[in-house]
Amino acid sequence: MPWISALASLVRRPVRALIRAWVEVRLIEPDPASLGLSPTAMTIYVLPHPALTDRLLLETLCARSELPEPNQPLSEQQPALSRCVSLPGRRRKAQAPFLGYLEWLHGHPEQDLELLPVSVFWGRAPGKRFGFWSLITADDWGLTGRLRRALAVLVHGRSVEVHFGAPLSLRALIERRPDALTNRKVARLLRVHFRRQRTRVLGPDLSHRRTLIDGVVASPTVREAIAETAESEGRQVSRVKARARRYGREIASNMTYPVLRLLDGLLERLWTRLYDGVDVEGIEAVKALAGDHTLVYVPCHRSHIDYLLLSYVLFHEGLMPPHIAAGRNLNMPVIGPLLRRGGAFFMRRSFKGNRLYRAVFQEYLARLLSRGHPLEYFIEGGRSRSGRLLDPRPGMLAMTLRAHVRGVKTRGHSGKLAFIPVAIGYERVIESDSYRAELAGKPKRRETPLGLLRVFGRLRQPFGRVSVTIGAPLPLSSFLDAETPEWRHASDEDWQQRAVPRLGEELARRINAAVPLNAVNLVALVLLATPHRAIERDLLERQLELLVDLARSSAEAIGTDGSTPAQGLSGSPAEWIPHVESLGFIERRHQVLGELVLASPEQTSLLSWYRNNVLHHFALAGLVAFAFRNNVRFSEEELHALLAPGWPVLVRELYITPETELATALRATLDRLVDQGLLEVETRPAGDKASVPRWRRPSAGHAGREQLHLLGRLIQPSLERGYLLLASLLRLPSGSLTRDQLAEQSGLLAERLTLLSGLDAPEFFDRRLFAGLVTSLEADGWTWPDEDGRLCYGAELTATAERVNTLFDPALRHRLQQLAAPTSDAAPSPSSKAEAEASTATPPVDDA
């Protein structure tokens, strides 16, 4: 009727004016220009439910983005067919609205219609199963639908998100079946899309915290732990049950949307003040999984900023922020409640000896995963003080794996859980000074609210840029199918003990593969490779270009879609050097003969943290370059025989993921070094087809010789640590030392070496590095424990160590061997005597 149309128009005008004046769209995804709409098909917008505000907002956006207008009829002959439709509500019995469009297609065989799903989110409030907030967020509360929408416009009008789906050809869905069946099929496909989109953005509904804790305490596993604890301690069951409930309150998060909005605003101001920018790479891989996978984010742990930064990035990219496992030390006054309402759940550092606490925590974690909530935890356990990726801790991984297996077996779901490795790179980390002090032996400072105030005092200092890079996601079921195929049917847990360490190593490799390069860690790599932490500026620039070229061309530069660690780099070496100086890491001195770049002892100690972030990207190139330091030429077979024994140990120490076998990667590395002018290929004699090609280092006057030497020094500290460990092991008979004794003695020798060398490098003698090397030797079969736990070795290790000795020049080899000698007056072996004489003699004349 005409009067109904006039009344509708009268209502639409003020609402449209309100939306234009008040509503601000925070995120439109994807960009309308990238939707790829067909130029020949007509676009039909599809909304998940009838809502006037959504339709009017869509009209406004389409006008701004030059998209087809949604308020026009399909054709003048059929004005009832609008170019914007909505699916009926779940409580309505009305059928899907596509029958008229199907009939139109039958009458116009040369035409097509593209369905474009559009999801509009007024705010990002995850649903609560109980509470007043459902009045505003529950889409299926029919009695308050209009009131809810009006409140949403007023309350969340400044934080609206619009998500477009992939265009769907309606003609392609027409099959030889009645239109009624096609109509239902199209509606079903769209409902699945809208449900996944909602899950991706809002996550599953949040249980009321008290209800969740009650469910955890009432679960069979926790009830069993309560009964056993009561019996073992001789206490009443009711008291132990109350303790379990206290544990639940101590652990459980209480995520609330107002706090998420508050943190979003605070963090946005913090990043603007603290950093020059936040770079995000690889987020599309997460968005592709978020709709139908439970996501577990596993970032590297470089700083307390990590979890705040990742949640902020996910929120701004249209993804649900995760529940974050935080140490109980952060549950401090003021800060703890704020973090808890932002999604943090707190855990003790150790569960040892407390079966009840373990049962409560495991059940809480399992319930979060079973309901599809995204999680975040750090597999390293704590922040890295040395800048390296720490060895993965098995605790959270094992609990996640058990919860996943329980869900697959008891609930029968498909097991769509994926780990998301995340690498976070800082140009300057807030905790630099405290890390340096802790590595030097000072105790870790306890976190307090006053400590947070000290951080705010540093906001005026420059911190450069920060990057968040998503690594290759790891679906857990696929990983288990490949590693332990029996996991779906095995009743024992022996396979879990094998799977968890492998899972941790795989995730660590994927995190390290995603670590980005930046100006600071590149300058640190080069400057710390110089003997006196000083270098000519032009040589520094050439070496920086070399590292970037190697990272971009290396077959081991792992990333999604062919990306490399250097893909986020901008600018040139000439711009990076003054930028690093502005951050306080280096000094520049202008001289008549050319500018010098230097680092003080304090700056050197700080730079080692940033070098260790990315050293793994250049491990093989550095190892090859180091081999030519004391050897003029190699054939490919000779070089492979020399490097093959130690390469697996280095791979495990630095969590490297080679894409190819060593022989293939070695040849590619040699070719790249030749292309860069760092190595030369000796030509074959004329007519000698049987001769083997050999690679040689450039002559002493060649510009590439110095660059090759600097590249080799990148990996020298790792090789020296391995040499000291082998020297400590082999100087005594087999079966003399335990794992801990060997790691401890090697660490002491490394500390002595740094002191005698006058270097301030406490990360060089980190005991955890030597413990990892001992584990690698045992994993590769070089050593094995006897009945008393002492390490045994055979003649093969001795022979290999003798062969590897040729990597080091006689002077360095003699120094390391003397350092590892059992007593200062011990008689040196004949070989060490010869090396001592060689080290004091005139150095050999280099080949011309």
Side-chain angles (χ1 to χ4, degrees):
M1 295 181 183
W3 66 272
I4 295 179
S5 301
L7 180 61
S9 177
L10 187 64
V11 173
R12 289 167 64 94
R13 288 176 184 174
V15 177
R16 182 187 290 112
L18 174 63
I19 288 176
R20 288 178 177 175
W22 173 248
V23 174
E24 180 178 330
V25 179
R26 190 185 65 82
L27 176 67
I28 302 177
E29 187 184 69
D31 185 88
S34 64
L35 287 174
L37 298 177
S38 172
T40 58
M42 286 188 284
T43 302
I44 308 297
Y45 300 94
V46 184
L47 296 170
H49 45 253
L52 177 62
T53 51
D54 290 358
R55 185 184 290 261
L56 295 178
L57 177 62
L58 179 61
E59 292 177 7
T60 303
L61 288 180
C62 290
R64 294 174 182 172
S65 305
E66 299 183 353
L67 291 173
E69 295 184 8
N71 59 346
Q72 296 295 322
L74 185 62
S75 65
E76 294 181 358
Q77 293 77 20
Q78 292 177 296
L81 294 181
S82 171
R83 294 200 184 189
C84 182
V85 299
S86 57
L87 298 179
R90 282 178 283 178
R91 294 188 178 184
R92 299 182 182 181
K93 296 182 179 180
Q95 62 180 356
F98 304 110
L99 282 175
Y101 298 94
L102 293 170
E103 293 175 0
W104 187 87
L105 285 175
H106 292 319
H108 300 78
E110 75 286 354
Q111 297 290 332
D112 191 12
L113 299 177
E114 271 191 334
L115 304 180
L116 183 62
V118 184
S119 301
V120 181
F121 295 95
W122 298 83
R124 293 284 301 283
K128 281 279 191 180
R129 294 189 176 183
F130 304 96
F132 174 76
W133 201 250
S134 60
L135 175 67
I136 299 179
T137 62
D139 287 337
D140 57 350
W141 195 350
L143 294 178
T144 60
R146 292 181 176 82
L147 174 60
R148 179 193 59 79
R149 182 60 61 177
L151 289 174
V153 172
L154 294 175
V155 175
H156 305 305
R158 314 301 289 179
S159 182
V160 179
E161 293 186 10
V162 178
H163 295 259
F164 292 101
L168 185 66
S169 171
L170 188 56
R171 182 170 293 282
L173 295 174
I174 296 178
E175 300 176 358
R176 294 180 180 179
R177 61 176 65 182
D179 284 352
L181 294 179
T182 303
N183 182 43
R184 290 198 293 270
K185 176 182 178 181
V186 173
R188 185 169 60 252
L189 291 174
L190 289 169
R191 285 194 180 97
V192 170
H193 165 79
F194 287 128
R195 183 172 62 250
R196 289 180 175 176
Q197 186 66 47
R198 182 177 178 82
T199 301
R200 193 186 89 174
V201 175
L202 301 182
D205 286 347
L206 298 172
S207 292
H208 191 280
R209 183 167 181 263
R210 184 180 60 190
T211 305
L212 179 57
I213 294 172
D214 288 344
V216 168
V217 175
S219 66
T221 55
V222 175
R223 288 204 312 267
E224 181 181 350
I226 289 172
E228 291 184 4
T229 302
E231 182 179 358
S232 63
E233 295 181 0
R235 294 179 178 271
Q236 295 180 357
V237 172
S238 59
R239 292 197 172 189
V240 179
K241 185 177 181 180
R243 188 197 307 173
R245 185 169 282 104
R246 288 198 302 272
Y247 287 158
R249 290 194 295 269
E250 175 187 318
I251 295 168
S253 70
N254 188 25
M255 183 180 285
T256 59
Y257 181 63
V259 172
L260 289 178
R261 285 289 304 275
L262 173 65
L263 289 175
D264 176 59
L266 291 176
L267 293 177
E268 186 168 11
R269 289 176 175 81
L270 176 62
W271 307 143
T272 304
R273 187 72 177 269
L274 196 61
Y275 299 111
D276 296 334
V278 179
D279 302 317
V280 182
E281 298 287 345
I283 195 67
E284 295 303 323
V286 182
K287 294 178 180 179
L289 296 173
D292 57 356
H293 282 71
T294 299
L295 303 182
V296 179
Y297 298 92
V298 282
C300 61
H301 203 5
R302 304 284 195 245
S303 168
H304 276 315
I305 297 294
D306 295 340
Y307 39 85
L308 299 174
L309 181 62
L310 182 56
S311 293
Y312 169 82
V313 166
L314 294 175
F315 189 86
H316 270 255
E317 290 291 338
L319 294 165
M320 182 61 189
H323 290 254
I324 307 167
R328 195 174 63 163
N329 58 313
L330 294 178
N331 191 16
M332 63 186 82
V334 181
I335 305 302
L338 187 64
L339 294 178
R340 193 185 296 276
R341 286 170 174 78
F345 61 96
F346 296 97
M347 60 184 296
R348 299 181 180 183
R349 290 297 181 186
S350 175
F351 300 173
K352 188 175 181 181
N354 195 336
R355 185 179 184 278
L356 180 60
Y357 183 88
R358 175 184 291 275
V360 171
F361 189 91
Q362 173 72 63
E363 182 64 25
Y364 175 76
L365 187 71
R367 287 180 177 247
L368 289 180
L369 291 171
S370 67
R371 293 173 180 174
H373 293 290
L375 297 184
E376 176 191 341
Y377 53 76
F378 302 99
I379 59 175
E380 299 170 85
R383 290 169 294 156
S384 173
R385 269 66 175 175
S386 65
R388 294 174 180 270
L389 191 70
L390 303 180
D391 293 334
R393 304 286 291 273
M396 290 294 291
L397 290 175
M399 286 188 282
T400 302
L401 190 148
R402 282 195 291 269
H404 174 70
V405 172
R406 189 178 82 176
V408 171
K409 291 183 176 180
T410 62
R411 297 178 177 86
H413 60 69
S414 59
K416 288 191 173 182
L417 184 149
F419 286 97
I420 309 296
V422 183
I424 302 177
Y426 298 92
E427 287 190 332
R428 184 179 175 188
V429 71
I430 292 178
E431 299 96 332
S432 290
D433 294 335
S434 63
Y435 287 171
R436 180 172 175 270
E438 290 171 28
L439 279 174
K442 293 185 179 180
K444 177 178 176 293
R445 181 178 296 176
R446 184 172 177 267
E447 285 82 4
T448 63
L450 291 178
L452 181 63
L453 295 178
R454 296 191 192 98
V455 172
F456 284 124
R458 303 178 185 174
L459 294 184
R460 295 185 180 274
Q461 301 178 14
F463 285 91
R465 300 186 69 85
V466 61
S467 59
V468 178
T469 307
I470 307 298
L474 179 64
L476 181 54
S477 292
S478 300
F479 173 83
L480 294 177
D481 287 340
E483 292 290 333
T484 54
E486 70 275 16
W487 73 275
R488 294 181 184 270
H489 310 289
S491 57
D492 60 80
E493 296 186 356
D494 291 342
W495 66 269
Q496 296 184 20
Q497 297 177 0
R498 301 191 305 273
V500 169
R502 297 176 190 172
L503 177 62
E505 291 175 2
E506 179 62 25
L507 290 173
R509 285 193 290 266
R510 295 191 182 213
I511 293 171
N512 255 1
V515 173
L517 297 174
N518 60 45
V520 176
N521 51 46
L522 282 171
V523 170
L525 283 167
V526 179
L527 195 55
L528 297 187
T530 61
H532 304 292
R533 311 307 182 243
I535 189 172
E536 296 89 349
R537 173 163 179 161
D538 59 343
L539 177 58
L540 174 58
E541 291 184 3
R542 294 201 311 272
Q543 197 70 5
L544 291 174
E545 290 178 354
L546 168 68
L547 294 180
V548 174
D549 289 343
L550 289 175
R552 286 175 175 162
S553 62
S554 173
E556 295 177 11
I558 302 171
T560 57
D561 301 325
S563 62
T564 68
Q567 67 178 0
L569 277 174
S570 60
S572 65
E575 298 169 331
W576 300 339
I577 294 172
H579 175 63
V580 176
E581 182 188 27
S582 69
L583 295 176
F585 289 114
I586 58 174
E587 301 172 4
R588 290 189 295 166
R589 293 185 185 176
H590 300 275
Q591 290 191 334
V592 176
L593 299 179
E595 185 177 295
L596 298 177
V597 179
L598 311 93
S600 66
E602 182 179 353
Q603 290 170 329
T604 297
S605 180
L606 293 175
L607 284 172
S608 65
W609 191 91
Y610 300 90
R611 174 199 60 190
N612 293 339
N613 286 180
V614 296
L615 180 62
H616 56 278
H617 288 312
F618 305 97
L620 184 56
L623 185 61
V624 172
F626 190 83
F628 283 92
R629 175 178 175 174
N630 192 43
N631 300 272
V632 177
R633 60 180 56 82
F634 283 107
S635 68
E636 187 176 338
E637 291 74 15
E638 292 169 342
L639 189 60
H640 184 274
L642 180 63
L643 302 184
W647 176 241
V649 178
L650 201 60
V651 164
R652 191 171 288 106
E653 177 190 348
L654 299 179
Y655 291 107
I656 304 169
T657 308
E659 290 187 341
T660 58
E661 295 294 331
L662 176 60
T664 305
L666 197 59
R667 180 59 182 266
T669 302
L670 288 169
D671 291 341
R672 284 194 297 274
L673 294 180
V674 170
D675 293 340
Q676 295 291 337
L678 273 64
L679 290 178
E680 300 170 352
V681 182
E682 292 184 335
T683 57
R684 299 179 180 181
D688 186 3
K689 297 183 179 179
S691 63
V692 177
R694 296 170 69 85
W695 284 261
R696 58 171 288 160
R697 67 191 184 197
S699 58
H702 194 280
R705 176 67 175 272
E706 191 168 13
Q707 288 190 269
L708 182 70
H709 181 69
L710 287 174
L711 184 61
R713 283 181 63 93
L714 292 180
I715 208 67
Q716 181 172 330
S718 294
L719 297 179
E720 288 180 353
R721 274 193 296 268
Y723 193 100
L724 286 174
L725 185 129
L726 283 180
S728 299
L729 177 65
L730 298 179
R731 68 183 176 85
L732 297 174
S734 175
S736 299
L737 298 173
T738 65
R739 296 186 187 91
D740 293 340
Q741 288 173 342
L742 178 58
E744 180 68 19
Q745 290 190 18
S746 302
L748 291 174
L749 290 175
E751 183 177 5
R752 186 175 182 84
L753 178 62
T754 59
L755 293 175
L756 292 174
S757 303
L759 299 177
D760 184 11
E763 58 90 20
F764 178 75
F765 51 85
D766 189 349
R767 301 298 193 272
R768 288 173 294 187
L769 295 179
F770 288 99
L773 288 174
V774 174
T775 301
S776 295
L777 287 177
E778 191 170 342
D780 291 331
W782 296 107
T783 62
W784 58 91
D786 61 14
E787 296 179 354
D788 298 326
R790 299 183 180 277
L791 292 177
C792 301
Y793 59 87
E796 185 178 4
L797 179 62
T798 305
T800 301
E802 289 293 332
R803 186 166 67 250
V804 172
N805 281 349
T806 60
L807 280 172
F808 298 89
D809 61 70
L812 179 59
R813 192 161 63 231
H814 173 67
R815 183 180 188 184
L816 295 176
Q817 286 188 344
Q818 287 295 101
L819 192 67
T823 57
S824 59
D825 56 348
S829 63
S831 61
S832 61
K833 285 181 179 179
E835 290 162 1
E837 294 171 358
S839 66
T840 56
T842 303
V845 178
D846 199 358
D847 54 300

